[in-house]
Amino acid sequence: MLSLLIFLPLMAVPLLLFMPGKWHKAIRWTSIVFTAVQLVLTVYLLTIYKNDATGFQLTEQYKWIPAFNVQYYLGVDGISILMVLLTPLVCFLGLFASWNIQKGVKGYHILYMILNTGMMGVFCALDFFLFYVFWELTLLPMYFLIGVWGGPRREYAAIKFFLYTLLGSVLMLLVMLALYFASTPNTFSIPQLIQNAGMFKGGMWLVGFIGLYIAFAIKIPAFPFHTWLPDAHTEAPTAISVILAAILLKMGVYGILRISIPMLPEAAMSFAIVMAIIGMINIIYGALCTMAQTDLKRMIAYSSISHMGFCLLGIAAACGMKAANAPTESAQMALNGAILQMFNHGCISAMLFLIAGVIYDRAHHRDINGFGGLASRMPLYTAMTSFAFFASMGLPGLSGFISEILVFLGAFKVYTAFTIASVTGVVLTAGYFLWAMQRMFLGLLNEKYADLPEINFREMFTLVPLGLIVIYVGVYATPIINLINGSVVELVKLIK
């Protein structure tokens, strides 16, 4: 089941390769059909996933390279299930947002499908070697998708993204090898390495944890490794920005939860306060940087840095629970909030970048100050943008509110001062989104845009499913929290 989910997009690649490059519609629909089937299978997976079961489910385990004990080992649990659901959904919607791509359509879709496979593999892999292979598999497609189909400074943005991520990959590789050789017997199996966690104690493994942290922090991105993100987002085509924000950034948080904390719990507890400080900086510094932006995409990119800080703060609170003598419930609440924030921010940021793409396709710029009065010309687009802005602000009734409040409630008893300081990020978020809304949509209509067409059906089709999820989770989050809570309880036991 999981193998099919991972490799279904890759099965489309031979078909795409043999299609003439001028068959744009056939190429697009082939990609859409394969991704749609993947999405349907993922929904089916959700129906057979058991909330009350502990450990990994739907596992597939085969020997891959027996000489080095490398396995083809897959499985899902509460930490990965939401991202396994979100990845095909975002990829499916992103293909409709890619409809206007006219240059190298075949190459674009081939890389897109490979990227899909790599991301799904990361969230399903239970062998560290396999995890690393899928992690690397996402690097090259993303590099070319930004570097070939991006904006005027695409080469610079693509190289910066590549070099940053490669640095993180090298650090991850070194720690992976250290864990392999330190374990008895030598293994890359993630469950086995978690069972061996008691062997990985002391100063050397704190260095190892920091190495892994940097590898994953670059992807999140956490301060001070965040500078590649605004450039990559600004230059990437719309659908790639959507995937970057909704899925790729989450791989960093997922890596900390899947690899760093359960394998090196002692080091995680020692490093917790540093993660809390960095989480707080991400929230506040990211929000302050966002206020200074005039490019809509760049503004959303910096807001992503701010919102990913909530994930870090939640994780840090769980790891710092023991030192702060806080109750276990606080750690569980903070971790539930962090994991839910991955999913919620994935939905909301995807909406925001899709919305930025809609106006760029019409006006051919993203200068917030260059618009004005769009509400009178594009009321439906204004409504969708307002909804996405409010969701990102964390308005009650929408999904962002649930995850942020869980993080604050969980972190308060562990890092009270950092949590109070981080709350200011909520106010700053409201400030920059309301300011942007005022400049773009209110006041007199800029005459240059008097003939701007309203958002069309295809564009609405990409936004509505995400909007419905945002409302559903905001109103009734219990089923979603039930999906992840069992794994959170197990993870907290490791750092208790």
Side-chain angles (χ1 to χ4, degrees), residues 138-154:
T138 63
L139 185 56
L140 276 178
M142 185 54 83
Y143 168 77
F144 285 113
L145 286 165
I146 297 172
V148 177
W149 286 273
R153 296 175 69 240
R154 56 185 178 271

Side-chain angles (χ1 to χ4, degrees), residues 362-380:
R362 287 158 174 73
H364 306 295
H365 75 86
R366 298 181 298 263
D367 182 12
I368 295 170
N369 295 323
F371 297 106
L374 288 180
S376 61
R377 180 63 200 167
M378 303 172 69
L380 192 53

Side-chain angles (χ1 to χ4, degrees), residues 166-297:
L166 189 64
L167 170 66
S169 298
V170 170
L171 290 172
M172 193 198 309
L173 177 65
L174 291 173
V175 180
M176 183 180 78
L177 292 174
L179 287 165
Y180 173 78
F181 287 114
S183 55
T184 307
N186 298 150
T187 183
F188 290 109
S189 164
I190 290 174
Q192 189 62 50
L193 287 169
I194 293 171
Q195 282 184 16
N196 294 345
M199 299 165 59
F200 311 131
K201 291 182 176 178
M204 188 188 88
W205 291 110
L206 179 59
V207 174
F209 182 89
I210 293 170
L212 278 179
Y213 170 78
I214 293 172
F216 297 133
I218 287 172
K219 202 66 131 185
I220 290 174
F223 178 87
F225 308 108
H226 63 284
T227 60
W228 63 270
L229 184 72
D231 292 320
H233 268 311
T234 306
E235 300 305 322
T238 298
I240 305 309
S241 285
V242 168
I243 290 176
L244 194 58
I247 311 297
L248 250 75
L249 307 190
K250 312 305 178 289
M251 283 165 47
V253 177
Y254 178 75
I256 293 176
L257 294 168
R258 171 65 70 227
I259 306 282
S260 305
I261 294 175
M263 290 184 196
L264 304 168
E266 188 187 79
M269 288 187 277
S270 303
F271 198 69
I273 191 165
V274 179
M275 282 197 288
I277 293 169
I278 293 172
M280 178 190 67
I281 292 173
N282 255 51
I283 293 169
I284 299 172
Y285 174 74
L288 289 172
C289 288
T290 308
M291 295 196 85
Q293 305 307 314
T294 55
D295 183 298
L296 182 58
K297 257 183 135 180

Side-chain angles (χ1 to χ4, degrees), residues 379-402:
L380 192 53
Y381 176 73
T382 305
M384 291 306 298
T385 307
S386 303
F387 175 82
F389 280 6
F390 287 137
S392 194
M393 283 180 212
L395 208 67
L398 302 176
S399 61
F401 172 77
I402 303 294

Side-chain angles (χ1 to χ4, degrees), residues 242-495:
V242 168
I243 290 176
L244 194 58
I247 311 297
L248 250 75
L249 307 190
K250 312 305 178 289
M251 283 165 47
V253 177
Y254 178 75
I256 293 176
L257 294 168
R258 171 65 70 227
I259 306 282
S260 305
I261 294 175
M263 290 184 196
L264 304 168
E266 188 187 79
M269 288 187 277
S270 303
F271 198 69
I273 191 165
V274 179
M275 282 197 288
I277 293 169
I278 293 172
M280 178 190 67
I281 292 173
N282 255 51
I283 293 169
I284 299 172
Y285 174 74
L288 289 172
C289 288
T290 308
M291 295 196 85
Q293 305 307 314
T294 55
D295 183 298
L296 182 58
K297 257 183 135 180
R298 211 168 173 83
M299 184 192 87
I300 299 167
Y302 272 107
S303 78
S304 289
I305 294 170
S306 177
H307 283 95
M308 292 307 289
F310 289 102
C311 295
L312 271 179
L313 184 63
I315 292 170
C319 295
M321 162 195 65
K322 190 174 179 181
N325 202 24
T328 306
E329 290 73 19
S330 292
Q332 291 173 1
M333 209 180 292
L335 268 186
N336 272 315
I339 296 170
L340 193 57
Q341 176 72 356
M342 287 167 60
F343 180 74
N344 290 343
H345 181 258
C347 295
I348 295 168
S349 62
M351 286 189 75
L352 290 169
F353 279 110
L354 286 167
I355 281 166
V358 169
I359 198 66
Y360 182 74
D361 285 344
R362 287 158 174 73
H364 306 295
H365 75 86
R366 298 181 298 263
D367 182 12
I368 295 170
N369 295 323
F371 297 106
L374 288 180
S376 61
R377 180 63 200 167
M378 303 172 69
L380 192 53
Y381 176 73
T382 305
M384 291 306 298
T385 307
S386 303
F387 175 82
F389 280 6
F390 287 137
S392 194
M393 283 180 212
L395 208 67
L398 302 176
S399 61
F401 172 77
I402 303 294
S403 47
E404 290 179 15
I405 200 72
L406 281 174
V407 168
F408 287 141
L409 287 170
F412 189 80
K413 288 187 177 176
V414 183
Y415 298 117
T416 306
F418 299 153
T419 306
I420 292 171
S422 298
V423 171
T424 59
V426 176
V427 181
L428 293 172
T429 302
Y432 59 70
F433 275 128
L434 291 174
W435 194 25
M437 200 182 301
Q438 183 185 3
R439 286 177 288 170
M440 288 182 68
F441 298 104
L442 304 183
L444 293 174
L445 176 65
N446 186 334
E447 288 304 317
K448 281 168 63 181
Y449 305 116
D451 298 324
L452 221 55
E454 178 61 285
I455 187 169
N456 60 38
F457 175 79
R458 176 180 57 80
E459 292 160 341
M460 283 297 291
F461 176 75
T462 63
L463 290 166
V464 169
L466 296 167
L468 291 175
I469 292 173
V470 167
I471 294 171
Y472 173 74
V473 178
V475 174
Y476 187 50
T478 304
I480 305 295
I481 292 174
N482 287 344
L483 277 176
I484 58 180
N485 192 53
S487 298
V488 165
V489 170
E490 294 299 314
L491 187 56
V492 169
K493 285 178 184 173
L494 298 174
I495 46 180

Side-chain angles (χ1 to χ4, degrees), residues 1-66:
M1 177 75 178
L2 292 179
S3 293
L4 186 60
L5 278 176
I6 294 169
F7 292 107
L8 196 58
L10 207 59
M11 291 177 196
V13 170
L15 280 176
L16 295 172
L17 274 172
F18 283 107
M19 284 184 185
K22 292 180 181 177
W23 289 13
H24 290 185
K25 277 192 176 178
I27 291 168
R28 289 177 182 129
W29 280 110
T30 301
S31 303
I32 287 171
V33 167
F34 273 81
T35 314
V37 174
Q38 184 195 28
L39 178 58
V40 171
L41 287 173
T42 310
V43 174
Y44 171 69
L45 180 144
L46 203 60
T47 63
I48 59 175
Y49 182 83
K50 296 173 183 172
N51 295 347
D52 51 351
T54 56
F56 296 102
Q57 300 182 39
L58 301 164
T59 54
E60 298 175 25
Q61 190 172 11
Y62 307 99
K63 291 179 181 176
W64 181 17
I65 310 175

